[in-house]
């Protein structure tokens, strides 16, 4: 088994600040989606705010997907990974980025009033699938970006792992919940707008929790450098 201590220390110094900034940007976009969803659920311009909340969540996925894919690919390259490993690493993390692009397109079309009651449930499904599939991606990058010297600090490392593990579990559960709600909205069970707003509220909460946990963990690593 290859020892990665020295190389991981180098990785931790290269771009962790940028990755942490991406995670914080993800959390901010998630908060925006939460606020817009709550206002929409309160009955103030629900259709309009649904589309805007979808765009905010798409932005959060773009922040996350771009940061994770780029950082994972760079880590693999710095650790001497093969071209095949590099491609698999970058591609495996790109599901969030693709969900962000797709969600942005669907949100814009919904703002233009092009079958919003179909496009927004599809957007919710897309976000839910991306959240569930990529639930543990950010934590894997955090582990790779943490040098072995930092992992020796068992209490701190355990606290970070618990925080990220909890955020990962929340992402998985809320992602699956969003998939169910998206399907219900598509088949016409209840009010599609209300159902989609509730789903976006849950998705925004998951994104905010994971983005905050990841940003705090990586900023902690960065400050120790």
């Amino acid at each position: 088994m290859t020892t990665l201590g020295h190389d991981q220390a180098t990785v931790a110094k290269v771009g962790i600040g940028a990755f942490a900034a991406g995670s914080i940007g993800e959390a901010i976009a998630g908060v925006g989606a939460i606020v817009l969803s709550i206002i929409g659920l309160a009955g103030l311009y629900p259709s309009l705010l649904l589309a805007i909340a979808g765009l905010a969540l798409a932005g959060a996925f773009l922040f996350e997907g771009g940061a994770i894919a780029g950082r994972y690919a760079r880590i693999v390259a710095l650790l001497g990974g093969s071209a095949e490993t590099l491609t698999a690493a970058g591609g495996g993390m790109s599901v969030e980025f693709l969900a962000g692009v797709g969600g942005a397109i669907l949100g814009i079309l919904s703002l233009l009033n092009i079958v919003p009651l179909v496009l927004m449930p599809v957007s919710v499904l897309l976000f839910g699938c991306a959240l569930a599939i990529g639930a543990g991606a950010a934590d894997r990058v955090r582990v790779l970006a943490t040098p072995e010297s930092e992992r020796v600090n068992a209490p701190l490392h355990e606290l970070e792992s618990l925080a990220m593990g909890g955020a990962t579990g929340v992402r998985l559960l809320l992602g699956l919940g969003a998939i169910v709600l998206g399907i219900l909205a598509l088949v016409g069970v209840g009010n599609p707008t209300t159902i989609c707003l509730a789903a976006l509220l849950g998705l925004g909460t998951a994104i905010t929790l994971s983005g905050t946990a990841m940003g705090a963990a990586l900023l902690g690593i960065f400050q120790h450098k």
Side-chain angles (χ1 to χ4, degrees):
M1 185 174 180
T2 304
T3 301
L4 302 177
H6 176 72
D7 289 332
Q8 285 180 326
T10 302
V11 169
K13 294 178 182 178
V14 181
I16 288 180
F19 189 22
S23 297
I24 293 170
E26 167 196 350
I28 292 171
V31 169
I34 291 172
V35 172
L36 292 168
S37 298
I38 291 174
I39 295 173
L41 285 170
L44 183 62
Y45 303 112
S47 298
L48 175 63
L49 293 183
L50 173 60
I52 299 175
L55 286 173
L57 204 58
F61 275 102
L62 287 172
F63 271 118
E64 180 184 29
I68 292 179
R71 187 57 48 221
Y72 207 123
R74 197 165 191 177
I75 287 170
V76 172
L78 287 173
L79 297 182
S82 64
E84 292 79 9
T85 303
L86 181 61
T87 301
M93 300 302 123
S94 65
V95 61
E96 291 93 350
F97 185 81
L98 292 176
V101 173
I105 293 171
L106 294 173
I108 291 171
L109 292 175
S110 296
L111 275 177
L112 297 175
N113 204 31
I114 299 175
V115 289
L117 295 183
V118 174
L119 295 185
M120 288 313 299
V122 171
S123 182
V124 166
L125 276 172
L126 182 64
F127 291 147
C129 290
L131 198 70
I133 292 171
D139 192 36
R140 290 195 294 273
V141 175
R142 179 190 66 83
V143 172
L144 284 174
T146 306
E148 289 183 3
S149 60
E150 295 290 335
R151 297 185 199 179
V152 172
N153 188 350
L156 178 61
H157 184 63
E158 283 300 319
L159 284 174
E160 291 175 351
S161 297
L162 285 172
M164 287 304 302
T168 297
V170 170
R171 284 173 62 96
L172 180 59
L173 288 175
L174 291 179
L176 293 174
I179 292 172
V180 173
L181 291 175
I183 293 172
L184 292 176
L186 271 178
V187 300
V189 176
N191 186 326
T193 299
T194 301
I195 291 174
C196 288
L197 282 169
L200 291 183
L201 176 59
L203 290 167
T205 300
I207 286 287
T208 301
L209 288 174
S210 62
T212 302
M214 172 57 73
L218 288 177
L219 283 175
I221 296 171
F222 186 69
Q223 289 169 354
H224 281 85
K225 301 296 125 192

